[in-house]
Amino acid sequence: MNRLGTALLAAVEALVTVGVGVGIALVPLTLLWGFEYGLQVDWDVFWKAAGSVWLVGHGVDVTFVLGSTVAKASGVSGASAPIPVTLAALGFAVVTVWLGARAGRRFAETEHRVTGVLVGTGAVALLGLGLALSSTSAATRPSVWQAIVFPALWFGIPALVAAEVCRRRRGLGPDPVTARVLDQLDRVPAVWRSIAGFGLRAGTTATACVVAVAGILVGFLLLGSFAEVITLYERSHAGLLGGIALTVGQLAFLPDFVGWATAWLVGPGFAIGTGSSVSPIGTTLGPIPGLPVFGALPAAGHTFGLLWVLVPVLAGFAAGGLMRSRLVRALGSADSALHRALGGVSTGIVAGLLTGAIAWVSSGSFGPGRLADVGPHALVVGAFAALEVGVPAVVALAVGQDLVRLPERSWTRERWHESDEPVDQPSEGSLLDALERAGAGRTTDVHRFVVEEAHHPVGRTTAAEPDTNTNTDTDRVTDTDHHVELPDWARTGGVADVPADTAERAGGMRDRLRGAADGVRDRAGGLKQRAGGLRQRADGLVQRADGLKSRASDLRERAGGLRDRVTGADADRVDTTPDDRPDRHRPESPEAAGARDQQPAFPWSTEEFVAGRDDVDEPPATPAPRTTSAAPTASTTPPKRWDQTDQVPEDELPWWRRPQSDR
């Protein structure tokens, strides 16, 4: 994608981001305009309200001016004066951050990601300016410069971070601006870069753990106070569409509630109006707005409320202990208790800054009078978080041991590629050159020895020499092309005419090569023994298989004999039982096959079976003498034998009822 295409993509992403955020507020208000007000009010009023809500959701200060009638009806002191609303409905900002990160990942797929980030951020700034101008009226006055800057920051920073992370994961080259920033960072000493990087990673992890626990706590409070929340919904008399709009507005403030719970876990808590306080120690509330979500606020302090302060303490200790091995590897030779303690201090600083930022964006003014002070105090919450996370991290890093061993990970995955740089060759006549020509390989590299063993031992033979192991003639030619004549000192072990230092190095290298050869020989012997054991086990398995095959054949023969005795089969009948042995195969006669197909399996009765002649041993019949004449005579015709049961000739009986004989 070219630069113009990337710019158009960024503009579309910015338009979609702003459109989704404004639509979340505009759809419920449009439904109210159509169903509750019956289209009697100008739709422009609801458009300005939706634009103001979206700007408030990104931290833009919007001043509301109520009419005298509405101010008197509210009964709130100071309602007739301009009411600045600076408490951000962070739900809209979260949507913008999410869509901005998605846009950044798409920008990273192009060659002009910087162009995409800049154009997208500029487009969001222009759209924010348009919304601020279109939302300005006698009742609403948004800050124009904040409408340009704040939404652009909520979109641009996540897009830039996501694009940079994707660039590093894919191993792409940095752009000129990023390359300059990285060059400046490389000038910082490696020790301080390792400490700062560890603090950023561990502090972010600890803060994320505390925020996650705060989110779970908010969910449990809403579920536990479900009855109070429903009661406040009923008292509002908002109706169906009003209830939907009220619910959407409260969901927009849900990230603020999580930020308040984070401040509550840290210890200082938060306030809902001037003079109020909600903390683990106690709760002091005055008049508060009748929003249903405020029904989940604790009415008083908790007996074991201070135990919740252990959440950031445990988060800091776990982050330091679990990631201690990473810091040790990053420091390398500079590893010491002092440097690890500095890593814990940086962890506390990062956690304090992040927690203070969360408290700052979730606090502000929410209405006139005492509602001008809502949310936690950013400096106090940040200081408490830095201490509660930093001190346990210092203890875990400087004094404790590794809780786990984390694997070494880098921003980019390992990539193997061939180097185009030429390899330095040893000078001619040197020791390395002699070893290279002798086939020893480069002694400055690490070599892997691979041993391949044949199943049968093969000896060195000359050309056309018969191989006694395989009983075949193979052509074996000795390879003399790569044979290099060794020097006298290398062949005999002498060191004549060789400098002392060269001789010493040669002896050391020769010992190393001899040791490597011995190791390879030992491994080859072990592999040969294992191969012999496997061969013996294979022979045993073959013998067992032959024995089982013999037993199966015997059982098959015995089964055939028992079947013949039970059915009274004729001995002359061809055995059709399949046999694995080729010398025992007897094909089935056509007459026997036809008789088997025509007759049932058991056609005789019990009396016939009992009266049968299966257990009578009769002498075999004498075969009739052969004659030379072509036609048979009466003297050669055998006499008929009669069955004792039915008194019919035996030759007319079916084959299964004929008496057995040893013919």
Side-chain angles (χ1 to χ4, degrees), residues 129-196:
L129 175 61
L131 283 174
L133 295 177
S134 62
S135 300
T136 303
S137 64
T140 57
R141 301 172 186 172
S143 177
V144 177
W145 73 269
Q146 292 181 359
I148 297 174
V149 175
F150 288 172
L153 292 178
W154 285 108
F155 178 87
I157 293 177
L160 179 62
V161 173
E164 182 64 18
V165 170
C166 292
R167 181 195 69 80
R168 287 177 175 268
R169 288 182 176 178
R170 297 176 184 178
L172 302 177
D175 53 87
V177 178
T178 306
R180 183 173 299 179
V181 173
L182 294 177
D183 291 339
Q184 295 297 328
L185 292 177
D186 291 339
R187 296 182 180 180
V188 180
V191 174
W192 299 112
R193 280 192 281 114
S194 301
I195 293 174

Side-chain angles (χ1 to χ4, degrees), residues 209-458:
C209 293
V210 177
V211 173
V213 175
I216 296 173
L217 181 61
V218 169
F220 276 109
L221 287 176
L222 291 175
L223 291 177
S225 305
F226 184 74
E228 290 80 359
V229 173
I230 295 299
T231 301
L232 291 176
Y233 264 109
E234 294 175 350
R235 291 179 181 178
S236 63
H237 302 287
L240 178 60
L241 295 178
I244 293 175
L246 186 60
T247 302
V248 172
Q250 292 178 115
L251 290 176
F253 283 97
L254 186 60
D256 297 80
F257 302 150
V258 175
W260 297 356
T262 303
W264 190 85
L265 290 175
V266 172
F270 58 94
I272 304 180
T274 305
S276 64
S277 175
V278 180
S279 65
I281 300 175
T283 300
T284 303
L285 291 176
I288 59 177
L291 295 177
V293 71
F294 286 158
L297 291 175
H302 298 275
T303 305
F304 302 99
L306 288 177
L307 293 178
W308 290 100
V309 182
L310 294 177
V311 172
V313 174
L314 294 177
F317 185 82
L322 293 175
M323 304 177 70
R324 183 178 184 274
S325 59
R326 188 188 299 273
L327 178 60
V328 171
R329 287 196 301 265
L331 292 175
S333 60
D335 179 35
S336 63
L338 177 59
H339 288 155
R340 293 196 301 271
L342 292 177
V345 172
S346 63
T347 300
I349 293 174
V350 172
L353 292 176
L354 293 177
T355 308
I358 293 174
W360 176 66
V361 298
S362 62
S363 61
S365 174
F366 191 62
R370 61 187 306 271
L371 293 180
D373 185 12
V374 176
H377 196 280
L379 292 179
V380 177
V381 172
F384 270 78
L387 291 176
E388 294 171 1
V389 174
V391 173
V394 169
V395 173
L397 291 171
V399 181
Q401 299 294 330
D402 296 339
L403 298 181
V404 297
R405 291 285 183 179
L406 295 178
E408 182 69 21
R409 292 183 179 180
S410 60
W411 281 96
T412 57
R413 300 178 181 176
E414 293 184 357
R415 291 179 174 83
W416 295 84
H417 58 86
E418 297 182 359
S419 177
D420 297 333
E421 299 179 358
V423 181
D424 297 335
Q425 299 294 337
S427 59
E428 185 176 359
S430 62
L431 175 63
L432 295 179
D433 180 61
L435 293 175
E436 186 76 22
R437 290 187 290 105
R442 292 185 59 84
T443 58
T444 57
D445 297 334
V446 178
H447 295 273
R448 183 186 300 273
F449 292 91
V450 180
V451 180
E452 296 181 357
E453 180 185 9
H455 292 286
H456 301 283
V458 180

